[in-house]
Amino acid sequence: LASCNSNLGKFDPALDQYTRALEINGNDANLHAEMADLLCYVGKHAEAIGQIKFSMRINPHFPEWYRWTLGWCYYFIGEYEEAVAELGKLINVSDVVLLILAASHARLAESGRDSETNMRQAHDYIAWFKRRRPRWTLDKQRDVTRHRKEADAANWLEGLRLAGL
């Protein structure tokens, strides 16, 4: 139920449900990782990073989605190189990972770090994404983006716009 509430943007009930579930079973690495994802969506990025890293410690054979959650969190604290490095360790690259990589490279280019190379990489990731989802647009992404803080949603969408979505 917590995951459903989170996906629907019902953040407070989801936080309460995850907190209660962790009180019952504090050793469940997936539960910690799911809560980290939610913490990122509510704007508690540093706390989310701590949570996902804890998940990785208690389950050293963690599934790949833990890494994309960590990369996602790094994006929101402006640690774009860390996001790219973490996501670069993935074997299976999902659509959302392509978008995080594209936005992270675009932000690196915007900050002046090897601008030409990073912008080319951002565009390459968007092209890869568009081969999978040719009709996807920034407006469609805006419709499915749910963050508690408007600044986080704006940051995400602007990164994607800069990348060429």
Side-chain angles (χ1 to χ4, degrees), residues 148-164:
R148 173 172 276 166
K149 295 181 178 180
E150 183 56 39
D152 286 342
N155 175 11
W156 173 236
L157 295 169
E158 178 61 11
L160 293 173
R161 187 195 67 75
L162 290 169

Side-chain angles (χ1 to χ4, degrees), residues 66-137:
Y66 283 30
R67 273 200 205 287
W68 86 252
T69 297
L70 183 55
W72 178 242
C73 293
Y74 280 138
Y75 176 85
F76 285 100
I77 63 167
E79 294 291 337
Y80 308 117
E81 289 173 339
E82 291 293 329
V84 168
E86 201 59 48
L87 297 173
K89 297 174 187 175
L90 294 173
I91 295 167
N92 299 305
V93 181
S94 68
D95 292 348
V96 71
V97 167
L98 291 173
L99 292 178
I100 300 166
L101 283 164
S104 295
H105 279 290
R107 291 299 193 171
L108 285 168
E110 179 186 47
S111 71
R113 289 189 215 130
D114 201 6
S115 295
E116 189 175 314
T117 300
N118 275 306
M119 193 52 77
R120 185 174 56 253
Q121 289 177 315
H123 290 154
D124 287 349
Y125 282 118
I126 289 295
W128 186 357
F129 173 82
K130 293 292 277 184
R131 282 192 297 276
R132 292 180 176 183
R133 314 244 346 235
R135 292 187 179 96
W136 200 254
T137 64

Side-chain angles (χ1 to χ4, degrees), residues 4-64:
C4 290
N5 279 330
S6 178
N7 289 335
L8 292 171
K10 297 179 180 180
F11 300 124
D12 290 329
L15 282 168
D16 291 342
Q17 290 157 350
Y18 276 120
T19 299
R20 179 67 182 126
L22 286 171
E23 288 170 359
I24 295 167
N25 186 5
N27 293 321
D28 186 328
N30 286 346
L31 190 56
H32 281 282
E34 288 174 20
M35 186 166 183
D37 191 48
L38 173 61
L39 290 169
C40 190
Y41 281 102
V42 299
K44 296 182 178 185
H45 312 298
E47 189 178 337
I49 289 170
Q51 189 92 353
I52 193 67
K53 285 184 174 182
F54 178 76
S55 300
M56 292 169 151
R57 282 193 306 277
I58 63 175
N59 179 6
H61 304 289
F62 55 85
E64 280 199 323

